[in-house]
Amino acid sequence: MDIHLYQPSDSFLQNRILHVFAKRGDISNARDLFDKMLHRDIFSWNAMLSLYAKAGLIEDLRAFFDDMPSRDSVSYNTVISGFAKNGCASKAVEAFVRMQNEGLKPSEYTHVSVLNACAKLFDLRKGKQIHGKILTRNLGGNVFIWNALTDMYAKCGEIDKARWLFDRLAHKNVVSWNLMISGYLKNGQSEKCIDLFHEMRALGLKPDQVTVSNILGAYFHSGYIDKAVKIFSEIKERDKVCWTTMIVGCAQNGKEEDALMLFNDMLLANVRPDGYTVSSVLSSCAKLAFLFYGQAVHGKALVMGVNEGLLVASALVDMYCKCGVTADAWVVFSTMPARNVVSWNAMIGGYAQSGQDLEALALYENMLQEDIRPDNVTFVGILSACVHAGLVQEGKRYFDSMSKFHGLIPTLDHFACMINLLGRSGCVNEAMGLINSMPYEPNSLIWSTVLSVSAMKGDMKHGEMAARHLFELDPLNAGPYIMLSNMYARCGRWKDVASMRYLMKTKNVKKFAAYSWIEIDNEVHKFVADDRTHPDTKIIYEELHGLIRKLQKAGFSPNTKLVLHDVGEEEKLKSICYHSEKLALAFGLIKKCHGPIRIIKNIRVCGDCHVL
């Protein structure tokens, strides 16, 4: 037609070609044809609207819509749906109002799109208004409208109203069940979500992958990890959402190693992860301090092109910081094209955790200069840095600035940081005054902080008081019993030590095992105190004995005062020399040829091992 300069007498043929271009997503050729058309009608304009809506070109869609000489219901349906699906829900609602003002009658499809927009906006008032209009127009029998109403009420928090609608829907489809199950999950009612899933199966309905993803989330939320694994194992075709739900569920329920194995299986199944999946895997690497695995995931993210999003980049910063490699975290942070408060918090918190306190405080000042508003997490990092550096006055200033300059209300986490700062600096009475002035009831975090500071300072009075509160608040937590027992032991009060152990026994309080681990050649090796189970036990102890002899020649003497047992000096020496940290160090010296040796412990490292 172009070659022969043929111009049809009407728009029919060119409209057909426009629809072909629209289906293919060929914007350039479609626009070129549209501009050359001598005869355009409403179908020509609507075809272009459809193309822009499908491509997500919202500004072009809006401008093109405004330029139309006339509009019909199809025009409005296309624009409302395009806005709703592309993150412009408020514009979709505005277009719906404009459509009615122009005297056009919304169709069933229009109502579905605008209800979806109300759900995204959590605009219950507007949603109810539209529901009223649906009833007056007798459109309530349409299953798609009914599903959209159920979804809108569930997402706006009216879960009982959503269930009322769901129960009265005569011909439910799988989407109806999925929306109700998802609604319960989003409203924190995972048990009802599971019950509804069983009801669905009892009726002989086959769940799809959306159903399965939701029910996996419900099982994890309720702590039924084994049931989630069973459901997942029964799925023959697993999509990205199913895999991600499993990975995130394991990561959030203390099954980080399982999350990593699932990620490997996902890649082997040729399912491409997205940024949310990768960030969850990196979070698991951070919790386990698996640097090698985290680096491998970083490389995979680069190859797949999912490393540039804020979610993944912030997770990378957090992972490198928690693995003790703040230099690599800084490289990721400094090369981010854009940063949000989560990114800044990860880097500030990483510096504070790694003892680079001045760097954390300097970075906070840079954050303010870039007009990034700090949040509560920011100040936990800042106050932690002040605690480690002993900056009492600066800590007070930052604490006061939360409410004065940033409109933030300090939480119990912030009060705990301040109590820790004041207590470590010898201002115990001021710390206790701060507790009395708090707008909250002190919880176990506050009293644990007081107990920890009291143990550090040898303050038996406040230590015993804090421990009594903890025995009431968290009676099965072994930590307070052990810490108070250790305080008694340091004072030689062995009868009180025995009474603490008896109290633990009568209350059936279980002491958790302390252990250290080290990663060598992508394999994790775990040690407990006086461990003899490792295959290389003999050479580990030979290496450790040799190391201690060298250190003793250099002037180091093991601090047996830290052994809080009523035993002889020789037994104390043996006990402190075979701590899990030292065994991991000896193994690292044997096996690691180059680079730093990173040892992780599940509790605080003992003073003697730290000095070593």
Side-chain angles (χ1 to χ4, degrees), residues 147-374:
N147 287 343
L149 281 167
T150 303
D151 185 49
M152 185 275 295
Y153 279 110
K155 285 180 177 172
C156 292
E158 294 270 346
I159 192 66
D160 292 335
K161 179 68 174 177
R163 183 60 191 259
W164 186 89
L165 287 164
F166 175 79
D167 288 340
R168 280 151 187 79
L169 178 57
H171 303 289
K172 301 179 182 72
N173 56 18
V174 175
V175 175
S176 313
W177 289 89
N178 286 347
L179 290 172
M180 197 64 237
I181 289 170
S182 172
Y184 275 133
L185 183 60
K186 288 172 181 172
N187 281 271
Q189 298 184 27
S190 52
E191 293 291 344
K192 287 188 177 181
C193 177
I194 294 166
D195 291 342
L196 198 61
F197 173 67
H198 291 315
E199 187 181 331
M200 178 185 181
R201 296 183 94 177
L203 291 171
L205 290 168
K206 185 180 179 181
D208 61 11
Q209 291 188 341
V210 175
T211 324
V212 172
S213 296
N214 282 322
I215 205 64
L216 286 174
Y219 277 133
F220 278 120
H221 189 266
S222 301
Y224 303 140
I225 299 168
D226 292 339
K227 290 183 179 180
V229 171
K230 184 177 182 296
I231 289 286
F232 184 74
S233 65
E234 293 171 357
I235 307 169
K236 292 181 180 178
E237 293 184 9
R238 301 161 179 164
D239 64 0
K240 178 174 64 180
V241 179
C242 284
W243 281 103
T244 301
T245 305
M246 278 300 294
I247 290 167
V248 172
C250 287
Q252 292 178 347
N253 283 272
K255 300 284 186 179
E256 291 84 6
E257 292 185 49
D258 291 343
L260 300 185
M261 287 190 286
L262 279 165
F263 183 65
N264 277 341
D265 293 341
M266 180 181 185
L267 297 177
L268 290 171
N270 292 319
V271 179
R272 180 184 172 85
D274 59 14
Y276 187 58
T277 320
V278 171
S279 66
S280 297
V281 174
L282 288 168
S283 174
S284 294
C285 295
K287 288 176 184 176
L288 296 169
F290 282 8
L291 178 61
F292 182 85
Y293 200 103
Q295 289 170 328
V297 175
H298 187 180
K300 197 69 180 176
L302 286 166
V303 170
M304 294 184 297
V306 294
N307 62 301
E308 294 183 356
L310 279 170
L311 195 63
V312 173
S314 299
L316 281 167
V317 172
D318 182 59
M319 183 273 294
Y320 281 121
C321 284
K322 285 180 177 171
C323 290
V325 196
T326 52
D328 288 351
W330 174 254
V331 170
V332 175
F333 179 81
S334 60
T335 54
M336 289 174 68
R339 307 182 192 101
N340 60 7
V341 68
V342 177
S343 320
W344 286 91
N345 288 349
M347 197 67 237
I348 290 169
Y351 274 145
Q353 182 181 315
S354 300
Q356 295 172 267
D357 310 308
L358 298 181
E359 287 89 340
L361 300 180
L363 193 60
Y364 170 70
E365 297 301 330
N366 291 342
M367 177 183 179
L368 296 181
Q369 289 171 10
E370 293 201 14
D371 292 327
I372 303 293
R373 184 180 177 183

Side-chain angles (χ1 to χ4, degrees), residues 324-426:
V325 196
T326 52
D328 288 351
W330 174 254
V331 170
V332 175
F333 179 81
S334 60
T335 54
M336 289 174 68
R339 307 182 192 101
N340 60 7
V341 68
V342 177
S343 320
W344 286 91
N345 288 349
M347 197 67 237
I348 290 169
Y351 274 145
Q353 182 181 315
S354 300
Q356 295 172 267
D357 310 308
L358 298 181
E359 287 89 340
L361 300 180
L363 193 60
Y364 170 70
E365 297 301 330
N366 291 342
M367 177 183 179
L368 296 181
Q369 289 171 10
E370 293 201 14
D371 292 327
I372 303 293
R373 184 180 177 183
D375 61 10
N376 282 325
V377 178
T378 316
F379 280 99
V380 170
I382 291 302
L383 293 173
S384 297
C386 292
V387 169
H388 297 148
L391 303 172
V392 179
Q393 295 306 317
E394 288 82 351
K396 289 180 180 179
R397 180 168 59 84
Y398 286 125
F399 183 77
D400 292 339
S401 74
M402 289 182 66
S403 52
K404 283 184 181 178
F405 304 121
H406 303 291
L408 298 171
I409 300 172
T411 67
L412 284 164
D413 288 330
H414 303 109
F415 280 104
C417 288
M418 286 303 298
I419 292 161
N420 197 3
L421 176 61
L422 294 168
R424 284 174 179 239
S425 305

Side-chain angles (χ1 to χ4, degrees), residues 515-544:
Y515 56 86
S516 302
W517 69 92
I518 183 170
E519 186 181 355
I520 304 287
D521 296 331
N522 199 25
E523 186 178 351
V524 175
H525 300 263
K526 189 184 288 187
F527 298 90
V528 296
D530 200 21
D531 200 330
R532 308 277 173 170
T533 61
H534 196 279
D536 295 322
T537 293
K538 185 179 178 182
I539 59 172
I540 289 171
Y541 277 85
E542 287 174 357
E543 178 71 23
L544 183 56

Side-chain angles (χ1 to χ4, degrees), residues 133-149:
K133 290 178 180 178
I134 288 168
L135 293 175
T136 59
R137 290 170 183 159
N138 199 27
L139 297 172
N142 183 289
V143 67
F144 299 105
I145 289 180
W146 210 269
N147 287 343
L149 281 167

Side-chain angles (χ1 to χ4, degrees), residues 560-577:
T560 55
K561 291 180 181 178
L562 295 172
V563 180
L564 303 174
H565 298 286
D566 191 13
V567 294
E569 193 65 23
E570 187 177 336
E571 283 297 312
K572 287 184 177 181
L573 185 63
K574 182 181 177 182
S575 172
I576 203 163
C577 286

